[in-house]
Amino acid sequence: MLANTNLISSNFFISLPTRTPKPRNSSLQLQNLKSTNFSLPNKTATSKFPSLVKPHNLNNTRFLVQKCQSTLDKNQNLEEEEEEEEEENPGLDGKASSVLESVDGVQEGKRDWTTSILLFVLWGVLIYYVFNLTPDQTPSRDMYFLKKLLNLKGDDGFKMNEVLVSLWYIMVLWPLVYGMILLPTGRSSKSNIPVWPFLILSCFGGAYALLPYFVLWNPPPPPVEETELSRWPLNFLESKLTAGISLAAGLGLIVYAALAGGDVWQEFFQYFRESKFIHVMSIDFTLLSTFAPLWVYNDMTARKWYDKGSWLLPVSVVPLLGPALYLLLRPSLSKVPALREASSKQK
């Protein structure tokens, strides 16, 4: 009977499985890591919970701690790498924000149409004034003046007014000056409307032909390739020789008109009050002189030259001479850092 009892008791101890504690949450283990005692007990020591200090449970705990520590190290390394990238490329945040703003603007259809509407209203008022309200007392004399200025009339002994002759040739120079300002920095990358047809029409219509492009213009300008600078018309419009000739010719014409006597100026003002041709041309000259500083500023900022060339903005208010002086002193597009970056990216 005793033997059977021993046999049953021994089988009972053999068949009982050892309970291993369920792994706790890693965060709780990290909090209680310092309070846990990992020292192995002496062989002679007795414990009420012998399974907690078995070697394989201790190894599991150490593995979990090492895994949590490695995860924290990886997250810290990623944060440090992101900070280093931001320090190396400080313009990324600005570019990202500008891209987001542009995307939001496109999605919401945002565009400030106030300036375009005002310019369109101005253009409409001017066209109505030119065709309906301008004085037209001497149409035959206007045709005679036009033929004389175009050299279609021979020498008949009549001396043309010096101020009128100077104004006529200044109006010939204005389309060239505007072409040098608007190409290429006055182009629009957000619309498919080219600027060159309006520049060609300005040779005949002046500001009346350019105002519709001002209404439709939507910056910023598209990037310019290096090969484009060596081709017509940019190689001609970017030339310092062209700018110098325009400045010299404009200076000579203005001096020629300024040296005219008081009687000549009084005669010109009389023509302005009577002649439709001279009246419309004088308003055209005023409009081109008024808009020129705005486009000088646009070209200056596109070339990243505002810090050095801002003193030319007040000078550009001087009709023709101010913009021509800016064209002579402005940096070439090939020296603009933004242009080199755009060209290198395309290559």
Side-chain angles (χ1 to χ4, degrees), residues 135-145 274-277:
D136 191 13
Q137 300 178 9
T138 58
S140 58
R141 189 178 64 185
D142 290 350
M143 185 60 63
Y144 175 78
F145 284 166
E274 299 174 352
S275 170
K276 188 183 189 72
F277 167 61

Side-chain angles (χ1 to χ4, degrees), residues 280-343:
V280 171
M281 185 169 56
S282 301
I283 295 176
D284 188 11
F285 171 80
T286 305
L287 291 172
L288 292 173
S289 302
T290 303
F291 284 106
L294 303 177
W295 290 106
V296 167
Y297 173 76
N298 175 73
D299 186 79
M300 185 182 298
T301 53
R303 295 171 188 264
K304 313 297 181 185
W305 199 53
Y306 180 78
D307 294 337
K308 297 181 179 179
S310 58
W311 63 274
L312 285 169
L313 285 177
V315 180
S316 64
V317 178
V318 180
L320 189 69
L321 297 182
L325 179 62
Y326 165 76
L327 294 173
L328 182 64
L329 299 179
R330 69 179 180 178
S332 176
L333 279 174
S334 59
K335 298 179 181 180
V336 178
L339 174 65
R340 291 199 298 265
E341 292 176 4
S343 301

Side-chain angles (χ1 to χ4, degrees), residues 65-99:
V65 173
Q66 292 176 356
K67 187 174 181 180
C68 293
Q69 185 65 31
S70 63
T71 304
L72 293 174
D73 293 340
K74 288 181 180 179
N75 293 334
Q76 186 176 1
N77 292 334
L78 289 175
E79 292 178 357
E80 291 178 354
E81 290 178 358
E82 291 178 356
E83 291 178 357
E84 290 178 357
E85 290 180 357
E86 291 178 357
E87 291 177 356
E88 292 177 357
N89 301 315
L92 288 178
D93 292 339
K95 292 179 181 178
S97 62
S98 62
V99 170

